[in-house]
Amino acid sequence: MANKSKYIKWFNEVGKEDVSLVGGKGANLGEMIQNDFPVPNGYVVTAATYFDFIEETGLKQKLKDALAGLDVNDSKALAKAASNARKLIMSASPSPEIQNAIVSAYQQLANGKNALVAVRSSATAEDLPDASFAGQQESYMNIKGKDNVLKTIQTAWSSLFEDRAVFYRVQKGFDHFKVGIAVPVQLMVQSEASGVMFTVDPISNDANVISIEGGFGFGDAVVSGSITPDQYIVDKQKMEITSKQIVDQNKMLAKSDVAPENARPFREESELFWVDVPKPHQNSQKITDEQILRLAEIGKKLEDHYNHPQDIEWAIEKGEVYMVQTRPITTIPMAADTAKAGAEQAANEEDTAPQDLPDPILEGLGASPGVATGPVRIIKDSTEIDKVNKGDVLVTEMTTPDYVPAMRRAVAVVTNLGGRTSHAAIVSRELGIPAVVGTELATETLKLDEVITVDGRNGKVYAGEIKIEDKKPNFVTESMTTIGDGKLPEKTATKVYCNLGEPQLAEDIAKRDVDGIGLLRAEFMIANIGEHPRYMLEKGRREKFIDELHEGLMKFAKAFDPRPVVYRATDFRTNEYRGLHGGEKYEDEEENPMIGFRGVSRYIADPEVFQMELEAIKQVRRYHQNLWLMVPFVRTPQELKEVKKIMAGMNLYQSGTFKLFIMVEVPSTVIMLEQFIGVGIDGVSIGSNDLTQLILGVDRDNGKIANIFDERNPAVMWALEKTIRTCQEHGIMASICGQAPSEYPELVEKLVEWGVTSISVSPDVIEQTRQIVKKAEYDKLRGLLI
C-alpha cells in the first residue's frame, strides 16, 4: 500500500524549505499558515504524486515520443506537440492509491460537504535551483465535488505541457522529465472583493510604496485581466494612502449554482458568472480605506518575513481579509553593466584643433550622427528601392516606411525634405547610420555613382572621401556623475527605455544599460511584410500577416524579457499605406495625411486589420508576458472606449502583466486626459514630435520652417508638464518617446523634475541619457531635502 503522506501534505505540514516537494505556491501557503497569516486552509498534492502517475501509467515514454524532434520556434508545430502531450495525460487514469489519497484529503478539507476549492498548479524542479516557472501553469477556481477535483488535478498536471511551458524548458535547456508539478487545493473565499498586491511598485520598482489592485467579486476577474481594477498606493513607511485610482466597474464575477438570466459563464462548466454591478456601486471605491491599510500591513509583514518583495493575491469575505497566494516578485531588473559613461569618455579625450575641411557641396539638417562615405544612389520613389546596394548612400526626396529595406543596406541617407523628426531621421538614428535631411536640392545636386562623404552630426555633405572626426558632444560633466566624493548610483528611479523598430537590432540593444523598449514601432515590421494588410486579408493571407508580425515581435520580447516592451500599434498614414503592395485600392489620397485617417480611427473603421495585430500580440504573450500595447493618435475618449471593446472581443484585457498605454500626440489628449484615464489606461507616452507640430502648427517634414519646430517652446513645455503631473495625480505611468529627450539634456532634467516615470530615447544616447537622469534625480532629491 502506498504511503498516503507521500501524496498529500497539509499546509500546516510544510514551509518555504519544501519547494521541491510541494512547489513554490504550496510552500508559501504553508509558510503563511505556520506564521499566523490569514490564509484559507488546504493541502498539496505533491510533485511525487505526479512523477508516480507518469511512471505507473507508462506516460513518460509516450510524452518523450510526442515531443521528439520538436522545434519550439515553429509555433504551429509547438502547439500541436504540446496539445498531444496534454491529451495523453488527460486520457490516462491515476492509480487507485493516488485517487483515494486525493479524495480522502478533499473530504476531510470539505468536512464531508461538497465545498468549493481552488486548484492551483506549481511546477518545481529539485535539481534546477535557478528555474522559474511562474505564470506557465494554470489555476482553476470554484471546483466542487470529489470527481471534479480529481479531474481538475489531472488537468493541472497536463498544464505542465502548455505551449509556453514547453517553450520555456527547451529555451533554458531543462529536461522535461526533471520538472514536476505540485497541486495546492485550497478552500475558496466567497469574495465580495478581491485583487492583487505588490509590495514594491511593479512598474517603477519604488520600494517605498505598496501597490494594491482590487475589484468587486471573485478574483479571477482581476487576475485574468478581464476588468480594469482600482489601484491604491500606500506609503510603506508611514502606512498612509497616497493615491487612489477609482475605475468604473460594470460587471463582476459571482457564484451561482444556476446560471442567472442573460449571464455568461466565466469559462466552460464554471459556477462563476458575469453579472452586473449594481448601478449605485459602479463608480465607487471597491474596498474601504481601513481594508486598504490592513492589506498593506499584511503585505509589509510578508515582505519582511521573506526578506523579498512579494506579489500577493487577496480576497475579502464578510469583511475579513485573506491572503490566497504569495510569491516573490522576480521581474525587478538588475542594472546591467554600464557602458562607458559620457564623463569617462570625456576624461579620456584629448583636446584637438578643429579640422581643416573643404567646403561642403550640400548642407541640411544633421538628423542622425556619424560619418560615412559611399556612392550616390538616387531613388525617385519606393518602387526603385531595389537599386540601392550595400554600401550606397541613399539619396531621395523623402523616405517612408517602405524605404526601410533599402535604408538597411545604405551607409547613409540624404533627403531633400524633412526635419530631425522625419521618418528618415528617426529610422537612420535607430539603424545607426548618418543622415542629412532638408537639403532641398540633394536629388538635383548629387549625381549617380558620385562618391560623397556624409557628416550626419553637422548636416554637411562633401565631395569624395573625406576623413572626418565624429566627436560626440559631451553633455555629461563630471559633476553629473558624482555626489560629493562619491559616484551617483547605477540605477535610476526614472526608467530609461529605447525606441526601436528593427528586429535585427533587438539582441544587441538588449545587452546595454536600458530598462526596456518604450516605443516599439510597428512600421518596420509591416514594411518587411510588404503588402497592405487589407489586401492580405482579401487574398486569404491573414495567417501569413499574423505569423510574420508575430515573428518580429517575438525577437524583441525574447531579447528584453523580463523588461517591458511597449508595442505601438500601426500608425501608417494613407500616403504610407498606399506605398505597400495592393495599397492603392484601399487608400484615398488625402490633402493632409498627417492629421487624416490614421491611428485608432483606422482600428475602429477596420477592426479586422487591428485584430490581426492583437492576435500576434496574444501569440507572443503565451511565451513572453513583457509585451504591452500602446495605441497611437487617439483623439477622443470615445475612440479609446471603442478600441478597448475590440480588444475585449479578442479576450485581451489589461492585467498586472499586460498594460495599455495611449500616445499623447493630439492637444485634445492633454486637455481631456482625466477623461481618458477614467476610461481605463495604465499609462501614457508623450509623442513629442506630433504633439509639438500640432501645438505650434508646424509641418515637421518641411525643412523651410524647421527652425520653428522646438519642443522647448513654452506652449509645448506647458503641455508636457500638465500631462506628467496629471498622470502622477492619478497614479498611472507617464513616459515620453519623441525625439526631444535625445536632443535636449535640459529637457530631460525638467521631465524628471515633473515626475516622468520613464524616458524613451534613440539607441545612440541611452548611456548619455542615463547619466543626465541620475543627475536630475539627485538634484530633485537635494531640492526636497533643503
Side-chain angles (χ1 to χ4, degrees):
M1 186 76 174
N3 179 5
K4 186 190 293 187
S5 64
K6 176 183 178 182
Y7 294 145
I8 301 295
K9 291 290 182 184
W10 291 88
F11 287 172
N12 62 8
E13 296 179 312
V14 296
K16 59 186 178 183
E17 68 281 358
D18 297 308
V19 171
S20 63
L21 179 64
V22 296
K25 292 176 184 175
N28 284 332
L29 289 166
E31 185 75 14
M32 287 194 289
I33 285 268
Q34 292 194 38
N35 287 277
D36 299 323
F37 287 100
V39 175
N41 195 21
Y43 62 90
V44 183
V45 181
T46 65
T49 315
Y50 164 77
F51 283 122
D52 278 8
F53 165 66
I54 63 171
E55 288 285 357
E56 292 170 356
T57 55
L59 274 175
K60 187 173 181 179
Q61 187 57 51
K62 293 178 182 178
L63 291 167
K64 284 183 178 180
D65 293 343
L67 300 174
L70 173 63
D71 176 6
V72 294
N73 293 306
D74 182 337
S75 300
K76 291 180 180 176
L78 172 61
K80 182 178 179 181
S83 174
N84 289 340
R86 294 194 298 273
K87 288 175 182 176
L88 286 170
I89 290 176
M90 293 306 296
S91 64
S93 295
S95 68
E97 290 82 3
I98 290 176
Q99 293 190 45
N100 290 337
I102 293 171
V103 168
S104 175
Y106 171 71
Q107 290 174 333
Q108 183 178 339
L109 177 66
N111 199 22
K113 302 175 183 177
N114 277 342
L116 287 169
V117 293
V119 176
R120 304 181 185 276
S121 313
S122 186
T124 183
E126 185 173 6
D127 298 326
L128 301 170
D130 296 327
S132 172
F133 303 105
Q136 294 177 18
Q137 279 71 52
E138 300 294 336
S139 293
Y140 312 90
M141 304 296 154
N142 295 282
I143 308 302
K144 182 171 72 174
K146 60 183 179 60
D147 292 338
N148 285 329
V149 169
L150 273 170
K151 178 183 176 183
T152 305
I153 287 170
Q154 200 162 339
T155 304
W157 288 339
S158 76
S159 75
L160 194 59
F161 291 90
E162 288 289 339
D163 302 10
R164 60 184 177 269
V166 174
F167 178 86
Y168 174 82
R169 292 195 295 270
V170 171
Q171 290 290 305
K172 293 293 185 181
F174 297 159
D175 185 334
H176 293 297
F177 302 98
K178 285 189 177 180
V179 178
I181 187 165
V183 184
V185 179
Q186 184 179 32
L187 286 172
M188 282 294 303
V189 176
Q190 304 306 303
S191 308
E192 299 150 7
S194 53
V196 295
M197 169 168 55
F198 303 93
T199 63
V200 300
D201 189 301
I203 305 304
S204 69
N205 297 328
D206 186 348
N208 297 310
V209 304
I210 293 173
S211 173
I212 300 170
E213 297 179 356
F216 289 128
F218 278 78
D220 306 58
V222 175
V223 175
S224 68
S226 301
I227 64 166
T228 301
D230 282 3
Q231 184 183 57
Y232 318 113
I233 303 296
V234 178
D235 184 300
K236 194 183 292 183
Q237 304 306 319
K238 296 179 181 178
M239 278 294 149
E240 294 176 354
I241 301 169
T242 59
S243 170
K244 299 178 189 177
Q245 183 182 347
I246 312 302
V247 179
D248 289 358
Q249 184 179 344
N250 301 320
K251 60 180 181 177
M252 67 179 183
L253 284 176
K255 176 191 170 294
S256 177
D257 293 332
V258 179
E261 188 176 354
N262 298 324
R264 60 184 177 88
F266 176 61
R267 58 162 60 99
E268 190 177 349
E269 299 182 5
S270 173
E271 291 187 338
L272 291 182
F273 294 88
W274 288 108
V275 299
D276 291 336
V277 174
K279 283 192 176 179
H281 298 292
Q282 288 183 358
N283 59 0
S284 65
Q285 183 173 311
K286 310 306 179 293
I287 57 177
T288 66
D289 286 1
E290 183 181 354
Q291 289 168 334
I292 293 170
L293 293 174
R294 170 67 176 145
L295 282 167
E297 178 188 359
I298 296 171
K300 186 174 187 299
K301 287 180 179 178
L302 279 168
E303 180 181 80
D304 291 343
H305 178 79
Y306 286 101
N307 196 30
H308 193 91
Q310 297 292 298
D311 170 358
I312 302 159
E313 292 180 27
W314 57 268
I316 294 176
E317 178 183 5
K318 297 179 181 177
E320 292 295 321
V321 173
Y322 294 95
M323 305 294 105
V324 295
Q325 185 174 198
T326 189
R327 53 183 171 261
I329 299 176
T330 59
T331 56
I332 301 175
M334 302 300 290
D337 291 336
T338 307
K340 289 183 179 178
E344 293 173 354
Q345 293 175 350
N348 293 328
E349 286 178 359
E350 297 179 2
D351 292 333
T352 55
Q355 278 187 269
D356 185 14
L357 296 171
D359 290 337
I361 56 174
L362 202 62
E363 293 189 62
L365 297 172
S368 180
V371 175
T373 299
V376 168
R377 193 67 59 209
I378 299 174
I379 302 299
K380 293 179 182 176
D381 57 50
S382 61
T383 62
E384 297 184 342
I385 63 172
D386 288 342
K387 293 180 180 179
V388 178
N389 300 313
K390 188 165 181 150
D392 288 346
V393 176
L394 191 161
V395 178
T396 189
E397 183 84 356
M398 63 185 297
T399 68
T400 59
D402 40 313
Y403 276 72
V404 169
M407 295 175 76
R408 284 201 202 96
R409 297 190 295 271
V411 294
V413 174
V414 181
T415 68
N416 290 349
L417 305 177
R420 62 180 176 79
T421 60
S422 63
H423 178 270
I426 291 171
V427 174
S428 295
R429 288 176 74 100
E430 183 166 322
L431 292 173
I433 59 175
V436 176
V437 300
T439 64
E440 299 187 5
L441 300 171
T443 55
E444 296 176 23
T445 303
L446 302 176
K447 306 302 178 188
L448 181 66
D449 290 327
E450 176 186 6
V451 174
I452 61 172
T453 297
V454 180
D455 179 355
R457 188 176 302 280
N458 297 302
K460 297 180 179 181
V461 179
Y462 298 90
E465 182 175 355
I466 306 293
K467 297 294 183 184
I468 302 174
E469 283 186 45
D470 182 36
K471 285 188 65 175
K472 296 181 180 180
N474 178 33
F475 293 126
V476 183
T477 65
E478 182 63 28
S479 65
M480 288 185 177
T481 64
T482 59
I483 304 176
D485 296 330
K487 291 284 183 182
L488 287 174
E490 288 300 320
K491 295 178 70 172
T492 56
T494 308
K495 300 300 179 190
V496 177
Y497 293 153
C498 64
N499 303 331
L500 277 180
E502 173 54 67
Q504 280 111 327
L505 299 178
E507 285 193 18
D508 287 339
I509 302 298
K511 294 173 184 174
R512 294 167 63 182
D513 182 22
V514 63
D515 298 314
I517 300 177
L519 171 63
L520 172 53
R521 300 185 183 91
E523 288 74 30
F524 276 75
M525 291 173 281
I526 304 299
N528 283 344
I529 296 170
E531 295 182 291
H532 193 288
R534 171 49 62 181
Y535 175 79
M536 294 184 75
L537 268 173
E538 293 204 1
K539 294 296 181 181
R541 293 203 292 274
R542 179 179 185 272
E543 294 305 315
K544 177 177 170 58
F545 179 91
I546 293 170
D547 287 347
E548 293 203 22
L549 182 57
H550 162 267
E551 182 181 346
L553 290 173
M554 195 75 165
K555 289 179 180 177
F556 293 104
K558 180 180 178 182
F560 279 83
D561 200 351
R563 292 167 290 176
V565 172
V566 184
Y567 170 70
R568 183 186 69 185
T570 47
D571 192 25
F572 275 121
R573 299 184 286 274
T574 50
N575 58 321
E576 296 168 340
Y577 260 129
R578 282 176 65 85
L580 295 174
H581 181 66
E584 291 187 6
K585 177 180 177 181
Y586 307 101
E587 302 296 336
D588 296 330
E589 292 198 32
E590 291 184 310
E591 291 295 327
N592 195 341
M594 186 66 78
I595 54 174
F597 187 45
R598 61 178 288 198
V600 298
S601 298
R602 279 188 173 273
Y603 312 158
I604 296 165
D606 191 359
E608 275 190 291
V609 171
F610 184 45
Q611 285 165 352
M612 292 196 293
E613 285 190 83
L614 298 180
E615 180 59 33
I617 291 170
K618 286 176 63 177
Q619 290 184 14
V620 173
R621 283 183 52 80
R622 290 164 71 183
Y623 312 109
H624 300 286
Q625 298 200 344
N626 59 325
L627 183 62
W628 300 349
L629 175 64
M630 178 159 64
V631 292
F633 221 78
V634 189
R635 295 175 170 100
T636 68
Q638 185 58 40
E639 280 189 325
L640 178 60
K641 288 180 182 178
E642 293 301 316
V643 166
K644 292 188 71 171
K645 286 180 185 177
I646 298 171
M647 292 171 61
M650 294 289 291
N651 290 317
L652 196 57
Y653 301 95
Q654 293 157 257
S655 70
T657 64
F658 183 62
K659 304 299 182 183
L660 176 65
F661 280 63
I662 62 168
M663 292 283 290
V664 172
E665 302 165 284
V666 183
S668 62
T669 324
V670 179
I671 296 164
M672 297 191 292
L673 185 54
E674 289 189 323
Q675 294 179 45
F676 284 94
I677 294 171
V679 175
I681 54 176
D682 299 296
V684 308
S685 188
I686 301 166
S688 60
N689 301 343
D690 275 352
L691 185 62
T692 300
Q693 74 171 350
L694 291 174
I695 288 176
L696 298 182
V698 174
D699 178 0
R700 75 187 199 204
D701 288 330
N702 189 331
K704 292 183 178 180
I705 52 175
N707 63 308
I708 302 173
F709 185 97
D710 191 338
E711 293 91 336
R712 298 166 298 177
N713 181 284
V716 181
M717 293 289 277
W718 172 86
L720 297 179
E721 181 177 7
K722 177 175 174 55
T723 300
I724 293 167
R725 293 200 186 279
T726 301
C727 290
Q728 197 174 44
E729 288 170 12
H730 290 270
I732 69 170
M733 291 173 278
S735 185
I736 184 168
C737 63
Q739 200 65 25
S742 300
E743 297 287 334
Y744 306 121
E746 67 272 26
L747 178 58
V748 173
E749 294 170 7
K750 296 301 292 184
L751 295 170
V752 171
E753 178 188 325
W754 296 330
V756 75
T757 56
S758 62
I759 296 173
S760 194
V761 296
S762 54
D764 60 314
V765 292
I766 290 170
E767 287 79 16
Q768 170 187 309
T769 304
R770 176 79 73 188
Q771 294 300 323
I772 296 168
V773 168
K774 287 179 186 178
K775 176 61 166 56
E777 288 184 350
Y778 169 63
D779 287 346
K780 181 178 180 180
L781 177 62
R782 185 172 57 182
L784 292 172
L785 295 175
I786 294 175

